[in-house]
Amino acid sequence: MAITSEPSRGRTALLLAAGCLFGALQTAWAIPPPPSSNQSSLFRLKPLKGEKQEDCGATLVEMETEKYVGTHPASCHVSYSTNCSVTYSPIECPKECPFFSPNYAFSCLFSCTDKANCSAYNPTRPYADKNLKVCMPCEIAGCKSCSSPSHCNACHDHFILQDNGTACVFDQDASGVWDKIAMVVKIVVVGIVLLGIVWGLCGPGNPNHEVNNFAICRARRHRHLVKTLLWELNNKRVACEFPSLAFNVHSKNFAGLGLALFYNNILFCTFIAMCYWWTTDGAFNASGVEKALGNFDADPIELYQNGFMASKGAPAVVVSRLYVCSGQAKIKDSISDFSKSNFESLCVLWVVFFVALFFFTKFQKAAAAKFNQKNSTMSDFSIRITGLPKDEVDESKVRKWIEEKLRETFPEKLQRPPRVEDMGKHQGDIIQARENDYIEVFGVSLCYDYFEHWGEVDSAISCMTMRLEVEAAEEANAKIEERQSAAHLIPVHKTSASRRNMTAQHIGGHDAVKSARSEACALMRKFFDGPPEQRMKTNGEAFVVFMYSDDVTHIWKELSSFKPDQASHPLNNLQYPGSIEKIQFHFVWSEPPSVNWQFLGKSVEGKTVLKAVSWIFFLLMVLIVVPIFCYYKFILKPYAHLGAAATGSKTAVMGMILGLLNTIVNIQTYATSYNVGFHRRERMDIMVLICTVCFTLLNIGFSFLIVFAQAYGKVLDAVPWHVFSNIDGLELLGVENEIGQNIFMMMYPGFFFVGSSMTIVMAGMWPWIFNTFLAKVVYVWAALPRPLLKALRPIVPWAPDDIDIYPVWRAERALEPMEIQIGDSANLIIVPTVCSVLLFVMSKFTHTLFKYMFIWGIFYYFFLRYLHFRFCKKCYYTTNQVDNIVNYLYGMPLGMLASACIQWGFRSNMIRFPHGLEHWDRLKIAICALAGLSSWALWAAIYHKVVQPWADTSQMGAEEEFKLTVAECKENTFYSWFNCNPVFVLKCAFYWHDEHGKCKHALRNGHPLASGEDEDQVRFFAIGKEYLFLHPERQYLAFPLHRHDGLPGDMLEFETYYELILDKVFSKLALSGTEKPKTTLSDNGSEERALLMIGPETPLSEAKMPLTSTA
């Protein structure tokens, strides 16, 4: 602090007197004279009461012996520490090494060195300033010895001296390889762009550009429909709408039970962050260590200069901001007090965390049961049975057999819930009683083994969906025309909302539609009437669907009352005719969309899972660990030794490479987990969750190791094992403080806020715009020569082998947004685990980091609500299995906390080794690691044995508040056990119906169809295609509109504003040229503005469109 004043006649005498008094004190305390006559003296404060005289001033202590040196000359190349009180001025260095070289981590530590070795003790200060006698920074990065601030004599290793000593160039930059790589990339990109523009303007174009452009526009509309919409079959105004961001996911079945439990986990993680913050902040402030750690921020040159020179405006009184007037022992006392209080605080925090986690997991289990009680789901109406013959593919036969056997077992009639009909707010509900009846099996959904025919089935389903859209459009338009011709009472603008423009030409023409239907019928005849070796088989399992959920409850109560070895019970002796196995009953807790139907015939063995995990680990090591290690070894480490950061083309290129490799590993993690063949989505999600947690922690952990290596590498040559369990000198504590600062800067704001916010750009805006652009380049503009288009085609998502036609269903899948990510749950484990690393170091950034972790928890909750409700594709997490695994993984941050407790017990000497073992530092580290693993194991055991997350699943959802039939439940969910089964859907459409759509009642035999709102129309459930479940004339109600002006989307979707801008831009372009094209009526209930948003082309009439195959 410097206090300056303008001299005046009245204060001259006071200033002269103060100068004389200071001169006397200077003589009494044996302070050497200032280096020059024009430098002011320093006003010295008196010692505090109870302190020794030598404790004030620059007390000098030799680091190795901790011997008090005082004002005697220091030795050369020996580390000394001061009490950080005021200045270096009382200290003298020998003539053979007259320069002070301040320590890198702690400016109150120094050594005396000669001119040539300034950078040996501190590589950031290679210039020996003869006036100040201090080693100073050099303007030339990488310089080892400077003759002046702007001239270098020699460079550090890996740096080359150039330009007559005015620059030290990194050896890899000197070769120019990285600059050449960056230049080649730029030239290639610019060249392709220019070629694309020229070829697009002058080239022949795509012959099917109108049809392909229509497909892309339909895909953009489809992108809105796959999001988390609320669908209602009976709503006469609108069939779907976006939920409010405040929508209660805890009481209503929005995207399944898993989403509700996930939001509870965010709140719990936020609570734990608050506990961490308060605990670490209390320990930090109570010990007084804040003042001690504040000295690590001192600027050594300021420390030196303030001892000799006053600020401008002298005469003045100058007092250093580092004035402590207490010896080094007081700093150590503060650190020792902190060690003890931190140990005690962390132990208390561990207990709080453990107890809170225990009660939270019990709350989660109760919340899952309550959620199932409030919501009727398809799993409430189903029981999975095994032991059927694999060649039994007659659903109606299995249905009648199982119903007959159950009625024999339960001959009594069961009470049926009343029928409730909602008549609106004003009229209330109409309740009609139902008669008691026997157990009623509604239908059976066989688990077909079609993995070998997966491609054929998937292609047939996609073609059927497109055909249904065309048929619905034709039927809706025909009914509108019929109404208009019958009575001219309906204005044209009223009927335009119901018209559709999807025609057969958009999917290849009427001939292609008929051909696709014939091929699907032939495929089904082969599967069910063909030769035995070609016939479809099952895996011996089936989902038995009951009309009432009470039937399922009654059966489970009967089964739970008998032990498995009681063979006398009839249900334990059921055997289907022709089967060698007995029928076994299994509880169903997954919903139909969560079943991976294509994998039901594929057995999942432990070897398969182990092989997949090994492959992911191999990719992680080869594509992530090895490149990062090489990046650190050959680029980051040379710079880190100098206390500098690597810059230039090499970091930009390596950043792109590492980003690409991370993306590849993430995609491979999901694809590998998917291809394992799990029968339920939840099992695949669990594998993805565990792999994501391990992959992210390993990635971040390697970055943290680099931070540790860089920090300790500047002051130590070997691994400082003793530092982990001991407080060994202020120098290494300064290094810990630097490590804490670096980790804090990594986490805030980047990991906490920037990474999440960039998700909207990198996982939403950029893929959507880029994929749309690629599809336009290849399939609309044909903006490159055909060989280049064929090379570019694999980059286009879901692109067919043909570059002439882009089918609608492929375009729709290409532009779908990302699903609600299971990685969101992984962050709840990763963030507290990573932040817990700062518990192992003494840093003033520890409690600040946990404060921002608490703020992150609040931000994350609301950010994900926006992400899930307006950004992501809807998917279903219908069980609490993923949540159970997350609760097990909470043992990871809990174990980190336990390890930190033991570490600070060693550091504070509150946990002591027997005599003779005090210096077994690696043993102490092993004990800390063992404590962490033991803590995790203790939590896992208590959670598994006491909370019992997997127990009592058969009772979940058994006591619902509102009793519905399975048909009434389907009105809410849209999906069922029939319309989610791909093979059964195709069987209903092309085996139980002929090529002309006529039903074969003999084959169907009264079994329910896979249907939607109309029970006689076959429908396949897919996210984004729910509107096909409506009657054709009502399907226009299914499209969410922005402000009801005909534009798609919601105000909180970024796509809405992008389309608004493009709509205005291309409308202007159209009007500035020729006459604005006439617009046709669209599926969204207004003008087909979407067709003008990417290009000015308008859809051709059916007569102008060429007949093309669907490829």
Side-chain angles (χ1 to χ4, degrees):
M1 175 181 179
I3 307 174
T4 61
S5 60
E6 183 69 20
S8 62
R9 296 179 180 179
R11 284 180 278 180
T12 302
L14 292 176
L15 292 174
L16 290 175
C20 293
L21 177 61
F22 182 66
L25 291 174
Q26 190 180 38
T27 303
W29 286 2
I31 298 178
S36 57
S37 59
N38 61 348
Q39 294 174 339
S40 301
S41 298
L42 179 66
F43 179 73
R44 308 298 295 236
L45 298 181
K46 293 181 178 180
L48 297 176
K49 185 178 180 180
E51 293 184 340
K52 296 180 180 180
Q53 180 81 4
E54 59 268 18
D55 284 342
C56 282
T59 303
L60 185 63
V61 177
E62 188 173 338
M63 288 286 291
E64 295 183 2
T65 63
E66 296 189 358
K67 179 181 178 182
Y68 171 71
V69 181
T71 59
H72 299 308
S75 302
C76 293
H77 309 298
V78 177
S79 296
Y80 292 96
S81 66
T82 73
N83 64 348
C84 291
S85 59
V86 179
T87 177
Y88 290 136
S89 60
I91 304 170
E92 296 180 0
C93 282
K95 293 182 180 180
E96 57 271 20
C97 52
F99 296 96
F100 291 95
S101 181
N103 182 267
Y104 174 82
F106 190 20
S107 57
C108 297
L109 305 179
F110 74 95
S111 67
C112 294
T113 185
D114 58 287
K115 177 180 179 181
N117 293 310
C118 266
S119 62
Y121 188 69
N122 188 339
T124 64
R125 296 178 171 273
Y127 169 56
D129 193 314
K130 296 180 181 179
N131 295 325
L132 296 177
K133 300 296 182 181
V134 176
C135 294
M136 299 288 289
C138 184
E139 297 176 0
I140 304 172
C143 186
K144 184 177 182 179
S145 176
C146 288
S147 58
S148 69
S150 58
H151 188 273
C152 182
N153 296 329
C155 297
H156 281 284
D157 295 340
H158 303 285
F159 289 85
I160 301 174
L161 186 65
Q162 292 184 354
D163 299 335
N164 298 323
T166 59
C168 286
V169 181
F170 189 53
D171 52 6
Q172 296 190 34
D173 290 337
S175 62
V177 174
W178 295 102
D179 291 333
K180 293 177 182 177
I181 294 175
M183 182 59 66
V184 169
V185 172
K186 293 177 183 178
I187 292 175
V188 171
V189 172
V190 172
I192 292 177
V193 170
L194 294 177
L195 177 62
I197 294 174
V198 174
W199 195 272
L201 294 174
C202 305
N206 192 299
N208 303 307
H209 63 92
E210 293 93 348
V211 177
N212 292 340
N213 187 65
F214 179 87
I216 295 173
C217 294
R218 293 277 302 189
R220 292 170 53 207
R221 192 200 72 162
H222 174 75
R223 184 182 176 92
H224 295 276
L225 293 172
V226 298
K227 294 187 178 181
T228 48
L229 296 169
L230 296 174
W231 291 87
E232 296 183 50
L233 281 175
N234 298 324
N235 195 317
K236 298 181 179 180
R237 184 183 60 87
V238 61
C240 64
E241 58 184 357
F242 282 100
S244 167
L245 295 185
F247 181 82
N248 187 359
V249 298
H250 303 281
S251 60
K252 297 180 181 180
N253 188 13
F254 174 62
L257 168 65
L259 190 65
L261 299 180
F262 167 69
Y263 280 110
N264 290 342
N265 265 298
I266 298 179
L267 297 178
F268 175 74
C269 186
T270 305
F271 168 76
I272 292 300
M274 182 181 66
C275 294
Y276 272 71
W277 171 29
W278 287 355
T279 303
T280 53
D281 184 71
F284 184 79
N285 293 325
S287 61
V289 76
E290 182 176 10
K291 293 181 180 179
L293 292 180
N295 294 315
F296 292 97
D297 296 331
D299 183 2
I301 190 60
E302 178 186 353
L303 179 69
Y304 185 85
Q305 288 179 329
N306 283 348
F308 294 109
M309 297 176 290
S311 301
K312 295 181 179 179
V317 178
V318 180
V319 179
S320 170
R321 66 182 175 86
L322 297 176
Y323 188 85
V324 177
C325 201
S326 60
Q328 192 183 69
K330 288 248 175 151
I331 299 178
K332 290 186 175 181
D333 289 341
S334 298
I335 294 174
S336 178
D337 293 341
F338 171 77
S339 301
K340 296 177 181 178
S341 63
N342 199 38
F343 169 68
E344 296 170 351
S345 300
L346 292 182
C347 290
V348 173
L349 180 60
W350 185 89
V351 174
V352 172
F353 192 173
F354 194 97
V355 173
L357 184 57
F358 175 78
F359 284 104
F360 171 72
T361 52
K362 290 188 70 70
F363 168 80
Q364 287 288 80
K365 185 177 179 181
K370 186 177 180 180
F371 183 91
N372 284 322
Q373 291 173 3
K374 289 184 176 181
N375 297 277
S376 291
T377 58
M378 283 296 165
S379 60
D380 299 335
F381 299 87
S382 177
I383 293 178
R384 182 172 64 92
I385 62 173
T386 57
L388 293 173
K390 294 186 178 181
D391 56 355
E392 180 57 79
V393 293
D394 190 341
E395 285 84 359
S396 60
K397 183 179 179 181
V398 177
R399 169 196 173 188
K400 291 180 180 179
W401 180 86
I402 192 67
E403 184 178 66
E404 178 184 345
K405 294 301 180 181
L406 289 174
R407 288 186 176 184
E408 290 177 0
T409 306
F410 307 103
E412 69 278 4
K413 291 186 177 181
L414 302 179
Q415 185 178 0
R416 296 310 183 194
R419 180 184 293 105
V420 180
E421 184 177 356
D422 185 7
M423 302 301 295
K425 296 182 180 179
H426 302 289
Q427 300 181 15
D429 297 336
I430 297 178
I431 301 177
Q432 298 177 353
R434 288 191 178 100
E435 295 181 359
N436 295 345
D437 200 356
Y438 302 104
I439 285 181
E440 182 178 354
V441 177
F442 182 73
V444 172
S445 181
L446 295 175
C447 300
Y448 289 98
D449 180 8
Y450 70 98
F451 181 74
E452 300 296 332
H453 306 280
W454 183 9
E456 295 177 279
V457 172
D458 189 58
S459 178
I461 285 288
S462 300
C463 292
M464 186 192 77
T465 303
M466 293 296 101
R467 178 183 58 80
L468 291 177
E469 292 208 39
V470 172
E471 292 177 355
E474 293 175 349
E475 184 178 347
N477 294 339
K479 289 185 177 181
I480 292 170
E481 294 174 359
E482 181 181 351
R483 292 176 185 175
Q484 286 182 331
S485 60
H488 300 282
L489 300 178
I490 305 177
V492 176
H493 70 277
K494 292 287 186 180
T495 61
S496 65
S498 303
R499 293 188 63 85
R500 312 285 304 284
N501 74 328
M502 184 75 172
T503 66
Q505 298 303 123
H506 294 111
I507 58 174
H510 284 288
D511 292 340
V513 172
K514 293 179 181 179
S515 175
R517 186 178 183 90
S518 299
E519 292 176 1
C521 291
L523 180 65
M524 291 300 103
R525 287 194 297 269
K526 181 185 74 171
F527 284 164
F528 297 105
D529 293 334
E533 65 276 7
Q534 295 182 356
R535 289 190 180 184
M536 181 69 67
K537 298 182 183 298
T538 70
N539 67 345
E541 302 178 7
F543 293 97
V544 180
V545 184
F546 295 83
M547 177 65 75
Y548 302 98
S549 61
D550 286 342
D551 295 355
V552 177
T553 304
H554 188 72
I555 293 173
W556 282 121
K557 286 182 178 180
E558 181 71 17
L559 288 174
S560 62
S561 63
F562 281 80
K563 296 181 180 179
D565 57 350
Q566 287 183 298
S568 59
H569 193 278
L571 292 182
N572 291 330
N573 295 313
L574 291 181
Q575 190 167 357
Y576 193 85
S579 176
I580 61 175
E581 300 178 8
K582 292 183 178 181
I583 297 295
Q584 295 183 358
F585 294 81
H586 304 270
F587 182 78
V588 176
W589 54 359
S590 296
E591 290 292 284
S594 298
V595 176
N596 292 327
W597 299 88
Q598 68 275 15
F599 294 135
L600 293 182
K602 183 180 179 182
S603 61
V604 180
E605 300 177 353
K607 293 182 179 179
T608 306
V609 178
L610 182 61
K611 183 179 179 180
V613 173
S614 302
W615 169 248
I616 294 174
F617 181 77
F618 173 76
L619 287 178
L620 183 63
M621 297 300 296
V622 173
L623 299 182
I624 300 297
V625 175
V626 173
I628 289 180
F629 176 78
C630 295
Y631 184 39
Y632 164 71
K633 179 72 174 178
F634 301 107
I635 296 179
L636 296 181
K637 187 176 180 180
Y639 279 93
H641 181 69
L642 309 178
T647 58
S649 301
K650 56 185 176 297
T651 56
V653 174
M654 283 303 301
M656 290 188 293
I657 293 175
L658 291 176
L660 178 62
L661 293 178
N662 273 280
T663 302
I664 293 174
V665 171
N666 282 321
I667 294 174
Q668 281 295 313
T669 299
Y670 182 87
T672 304
S673 302
Y674 183 80
N675 291 327
V676 167
F678 291 107
H679 294 184
R680 307 293 184 268
R681 178 191 173 96
E682 288 80 5
R683 302 295 176 86
M684 183 194 74
D685 291 336
I686 289 172
M687 182 174 174
V688 173
L689 171 66
I690 296 175
C691 290
T692 301
V693 169
C694 296
F695 161 67
T696 307
L697 287 179
L698 185 61
N699 206 348
I700 296 177
F702 199 81
S703 301
F704 280 6
L705 287 178
I706 292 176
V707 170
F708 276 77
Q710 288 177 342
Y712 283 115
K714 298 166 188 173
V715 295
L716 296 173
D717 295 328
V719 179
W721 300 106
H722 62 283
V723 177
F724 184 83
S725 56
N726 300 280
I727 299 177
D728 192 5
L730 297 177
E731 179 181 23
L732 297 182
L733 288 180
V735 174
E736 285 193 12
N737 190 57
E738 179 192 1
I739 291 172
Q741 181 179 7
N742 291 337
I743 293 178
F744 174 79
M745 298 302 293
M746 288 176 61
M747 298 298 295
Y748 172 80
F751 194 91
F752 282 152
F753 304 107
V754 176
S756 298
S757 302
M758 287 302 294
T759 302
I760 298 177
V761 177
M762 301 308 297
M765 296 181 180
W766 171 246
W768 184 60
I769 296 173
F770 183 71
N771 292 338
T772 302
F773 175 76
L774 281 181
K776 296 283 285 185
V777 168
V778 176
Y779 292 103
V780 177
W781 299 326
L784 292 170
R786 289 187 68 86
L788 292 180
L789 291 179
K790 291 181 179 180
L792 193 62
R793 181 199 59 78
I795 305 177
V796 181
W798 285 93
D801 296 334
D802 188 6
I803 63 172
D804 291 328
I805 190 69
Y806 199 28
V808 174
W809 68 271
R810 288 183 177 271
E812 289 178 344
R813 296 193 184 184
L815 294 189
E816 287 181 351
M818 70 175 188
E819 290 184 341
I820 298 176
Q821 293 294 302
I822 197 65
D824 298 338
S825 297
N827 285 337
L828 303 181
I829 304 300
I830 294 169
V831 170
T833 302
V834 169
C835 291
S836 296
V837 174
L838 252 66
L839 297 175
F840 293 91
V841 300
M842 179 178 288
S843 173
K844 64 180 181 179
F845 295 96
T846 302
H847 65 285
T848 307
L849 179 66
F850 287 114
K851 178 180 72 174
Y852 283 109
M853 177 182 164
F854 170 71
I855 298 174
W856 167 82
I858 300 174
F859 160 79
Y860 199 55
Y861 183 88
F862 292 102
F863 173 76
L864 286 184
R865 275 193 165 265
Y866 166 75
L867 209 66
H868 294 165
F869 292 171
R870 294 296 186 276
F871 185 85
C872 292
K873 177 184 176 181
K874 188 175 184 178
C875 64
Y876 293 91
Y877 296 98
T878 58
T879 71
N880 63 340
Q881 292 190 25
V882 174
D883 178 74
N884 291 342
I885 298 300
V886 171
N887 292 335
Y888 279 109
L889 292 178
Y890 269 126
M892 193 176 296
L894 188 65
M896 294 284 288
L897 180 56
S899 296
C901 290
I902 303 301
Q903 181 218 22
W904 284 101
F906 287 137
R907 283 189 159 191
S908 62
N909 289 326
M910 298 186 76
I911 300 178
R912 299 185 179 182
F913 267 22
H915 181 70
L917 301 179
E918 300 92 342
H919 303 293
W920 286 32
D921 299 310
R922 299 193 183 188
L923 179 59
K924 294 179 181 179
I925 295 175
I927 292 175
C928 291
L930 181 62
L933 294 175
S934 300
S935 173
W936 191 353
L938 175 64
W939 160 245
I942 291 180
Y943 179 57
H944 188 76
K945 294 295 184 180
V946 180
V947 180
Q948 296 182 350
W950 312 105
D952 298 328
T953 55
S954 61
Q955 301 301 320
M956 296 176 63
E959 299 293 336
E960 291 145 357
E961 297 179 358
F962 304 100
K963 300 293 184 178
L964 302 176
T965 65
V966 66
E968 292 168 342
C969 181
K970 191 184 71 171
E971 293 180 1
N972 298 329
T973 63
F974 273 59
Y975 58 77
S976 71
W977 290 105
F978 308 122
N979 58 33
C980 287
N981 188 336
V983 175
F984 182 71
V985 171
L986 294 176
K987 186 176 185 179
C988 293
F990 304 112
Y991 186 70
W992 288 355
H993 290 75
D994 59 20
E995 296 183 3
H996 304 288
K998 186 177 179 181
C999 181
K1000 302 177 182 178
H1001 295 284
L1003 293 176
R1004 178 182 174 184
N1005 199 15
H1007 194 277
L1009 294 175
S1011 62
E1013 185 179 22
D1014 190 340
E1015 297 292 340
D1016 295 326
Q1017 297 294 327
V1018 179
R1019 294 292 183 268
F1020 176 72
F1021 177 83
I1023 302 296
K1025 297 297 181 181
E1026 291 92 341
Y1027 60 89
L1028 293 177
F1029 283 46
L1030 302 172
H1031 287 290
E1033 64 271 17
R1034 296 182 65 241
Q1035 289 182 10
Y1036 74 96
L1037 297 174
F1039 195 64
L1041 302 181
H1042 168 62
R1043 296 182 181 177
H1044 303 284
D1045 60 357
L1047 287 173
D1050 181 80
M1051 292 181 63
L1052 295 179
E1053 290 182 286
F1054 75 87
E1055 296 95 339
T1056 298
Y1057 298 97
Y1058 180 76
E1059 289 168 350
L1060 282 170
I1061 294 173
L1062 289 182
D1063 182 39
K1064 299 297 182 183
V1065 170
F1066 285 107
S1067 296
K1068 294 287 185 182
L1069 291 176
L1071 289 174
S1072 63
T1074 59
E1075 182 181 357
K1076 184 178 179 179
K1078 296 181 179 180
T1079 57
T1080 58
L1081 300 172
S1082 73
D1083 299 88
N1084 62 20
S1086 186
E1087 296 179 346
E1088 186 58 61
R1089 299 186 184 182
L1091 289 173
L1092 300 176
M1093 293 177 185
I1094 301 181
E1097 305 96 352
T1098 57
L1100 297 180
S1101 65
E1102 185 171 338
K1104 294 181 180 179
M1105 289 187 180
L1107 295 176
T1108 56
S1109 66
T1110 58

